[in-house]
Amino acid sequence: MTRTVAVTINGATFEREVEPRLLLSDFIRHEAKLTGTHVGCEHGVCGACTVQLDGTPVRSCLMFAVQASGHSIRTVEAMADGGSETRLHPLQQAFHEEHALQCGFCTPGFLMSLEPLIPALVGASDDEIREAIAGNLCRCTGYQNIVSAVRLAAKRFDAQHGTNGSATGPE
Amino acid sequence: MGSATFADDFRRPGMLHATILRSPFASARIDGINAEQARALAGVMLVLTADDLPGGGPAIPMRLFSQPGMEEYLQRPLARAKVRYVGEPVAVVVAESRYVAEDAAELIEVDYEPFEPILDPLVALDAGAPRVHEHTDSNVAGAIVISNGDLDDAFDRAALVVEERISCQRHAAVPLETRGLAAEHDPATGELTVWGTAKLPHVNRRILAQLLNWPAERLRLVELAVGGGFGARGEVYPEDYLVPYCAIALGRAITWSEDRGEHLQATNHSREQVHDVALALSEDGTFLGLRDSFVNNTGAYVRTHGMVVPGMSAALLPGPYVWGAYHCEARQVVTNKTPGGTYRAPGRYEVNLVRERIIDIAARKLGIDPIEIRRRNLIQPEQIPYASGAHTDGNPVIYECGDFPLLLEKACERFGYEDAVRWRREAVKREQRRGIGVSYFVEKAGIGDYEYARVELARGGRVVVHSGAASVGQGVDTVLAQICADALGVLYEDVEVRHGDTRATPDGMGAFGSRATMLGGAAVSQAAACLRERILELAGRELEADAADVELDGDRLAVRGAEERSLSLAELTERAAAAEAQAGSNEPGLSEEAWFQCRDMSFPYGVQLAAVEVDEETGSIDVVRYLVAYDIGRAVNPMLVHAQLVGGAAQGFGGALLEELSYDGDGNLVSSSFMEYLMPTATDVPDVDILVTEDAPTPLNRLGAKGAGEGGAAAVGATLANAVSDALGVEVTRLPLSPSHVAELVRQSTATQ
């Protein structure tokens, strides 16, 4: 038994015949071949599989692909300019500069969770930043450099857009 | 970017998927397996049980620290006749998709006759206890005794003897990427390739070749991106045999990746030890003798690490102190739990807790400040190099460098110990109890005798480092590139590091035991220095100058004092190639290789300090301040050293406060998902202050560098246990300091007041 799903991922539409039980994370990784979305626990705790569904971060391991049919998804691959390694998204650039990753497995989930939050984190305290990232697990960094990266990204966002500016989220 | 390829990202055309059927019982006899329905399911290509493997499947050998008789306790890829832990592989299924493979696994009928499991390592020691391996005569797979000095005399002379049972709970490395691998057999070349190896590509190739009875030269292991190692990933596990075996049997590419539930049941556990420790002191707090007897619960089978974990415990329990006498008996005990192995600071996280706790217990009884009692007993700089009298796998433990008192003073100053003591005494809300904890520890680094490197100046002027070391996501590429750039005199940006492909690199050991910089880096440094000489000599010939007068700056070679006579590295490679072609030389291009040998381990050391507030009502612990002070000898890359220490400390916090692999009475792993196995989130760990000192470079390598990988984790359990004991005035004797455990301590504390 299969169903037709059509999901728009990073602007491209992927139409496939899939079993209803196929997880959205597996659809993204193995049907759309976008393996930047990682799977760390398969029950929504670690946050590594986080993607944005119509602009809102969701755990792609907790959804079936059929539930995402007709929706628009953004994954980590869309962040850097044209997927390039040289023109990073400001948030990625901040992670890079602050050494906010070691093995990098959890990083896409952090980026997807944080991207819409950056405008709201302008001027946030470290405790508030820690609260904001508490839904994602990292086993390597101890989070300290991730907090620094978020602080830097929020500061740069503020410099570019102004406090309380058009804080409607990127893109 | 999301562009890295981790094991489960890797795909080959027509790839099949493997899954493992695992035992639901901790101890049971297998009376029969019926896989007919599974084999008949559409899309299923292969179902194998132990009876289908040659000889029932080979025993996976120990690669380190074995003892005679331990081979009786080794694991085979699939259970034969008996299962000994929940999660033990019973069958492997290969199918067109993972979903179908898992469906098929559910259709396999296994007739189990369950027995009462043995879970407690102390119960397992009883003479009458059933044996986990019925063909053996004991549940003790291995034992170590270290003894020096006159212990009886020390205890006879003592003004005070303190004794305690102190234990550390079972927890594990749990990298965020679960294990995974892919294998493919190319019948045309006869080559078998395994992707997704980690930690020890070359060592694992030898082991795997032996298990598969396959020529090593036709077995290629390739490292992909690695989502964290921490000791557990990269050992040879049952699946590392099964997946390539199936790939050969089917002539197809196969991938396998464990889910998190499987990971928690199948990948090495660690840290479960119970110690009976006794400390003898004189009235002024001088340590006269230390006696310890402990068990390490290694679970159902002895895996690749043999006696490493209890061995490291026994070797480093003495720490940085002078003991009149030291006696330690260690036993490696098997039970019906998941098999064990190493986890970051293996054996040391546990004994740092034991030693530093018993010292604090004694200090409190004697009324001596915890810093002062340590200060009085530290090994002095003039005693270095210091043979502690302990040994590991036959090698004596010799602290080759160090100034222990200096680091203690620096750590106290940085932490503001005097201020902290005042802060602790300040009037606070009654329900907020404040405590200070300190621990001093000696780490070990740089295990594994040698490392290989080849440094090449490629056509076009690019420098390529081929290293036998491995990446586990720790940043080794950066460090090796830096070391190469330094030794060669070129720009960091122009160096590319390659490793982790047994076909491209002829030899190597890998990444474990905080060794990649020490040994891998030293090999790179040595090869790069040789290459530099050759480059200068060649440039001298081309520029008609003495090699000693040629300077290499970035990518340009010039004659000193006559800078107009110059050429670029790219030009040099072109001319060298042309000259070689003309001379009909068979000499390879501009490339030098080196094997850096080092049989001795290095012993870095550190101090950790904590200030905590314990909430009497909720049992929660607020770590107000935390310091890791660590002497690294030489920090090749301070940012990476810092990151290793902070990240390690976070894992230490997990072990101290949250993480526990707990079992119910039937031997089921209760903490089998991230809902129950609690790893620290950003709100669970404090900001950690790091003090890296370079006061004691090691003489063991040309860099002076000691390992950084494990010092952050090594003493967090000890430090927080001491801080909470100080806050509550009761003695913590086990971890983790979960809210329920702390609530119990608060009750004890109130009862004794």
Side-chain angles (χ1 to χ4, degrees), chain B residues 271-289:
Chain B
R271 304 268 205 254
E272 186 181 348
Q273 293 189 351
V274 183
H275 290 252
D276 286 313
V277 64
L279 168 59
L281 307 93
S282 67
E283 213 161 321
D284 66 356
T286 303
F287 300 161
L288 302 175

Side-chain angles (χ1 to χ4, degrees), chain B residues 621-639:
Chain B
I621 297 164
D622 183 14
V623 182
V624 178
R625 198 182 318 166
Y626 203 90
L627 172 73
V628 175
Y630 193 66
D631 193 278
I632 187 86
R634 183 183 158 212
V636 174
N637 182 320
M639 185 182 76

